[in-house]
Amino acid sequence: MGRLALADTLRIEVSDAREPEPRPPAPDSEAGRGLLLVEALAGLGHEDRVVGKTVWAELAVP
């Protein structure tokens, strides 16, 4: 499930039953960098749910 919200910032939320954890991918891996990229480019946060987590990124709107 996902959600977008726009005000002074653009907030992108994704909810999942699994608990995502940023971790370094193998150097030759073609996947596994999504959360690391979002964390580098935007504010990244999370909220625990009964099952899983909601992870969000916030970007400043010019």
Side-chain angles (χ1 to χ4, degrees):
M1 176 168 65
R3 184 176 86 134
L4 294 175
L6 180 62
D8 293 337
T9 59
L10 171 64
R11 182 174 174 137
I12 305 162
E13 295 182 357
V14 178
S15 298
D16 196 328
R18 295 181 298 149
E19 297 198 19
E21 289 184 31
R23 59 184 173 269
D28 59 346
S29 175
E30 294 182 7
R33 292 174 178 81
L35 287 177
L36 296 172
L37 288 169
V38 170
E39 186 173 37
L41 299 172
L44 181 67
H46 75 277
E47 179 178 307
D48 291 329
R49 300 179 330 147
V50 174
V51 176
K53 287 188 176 182
T54 297
V55 176
W56 68 81
E58 293 182 335
L59 299 162
V61 175

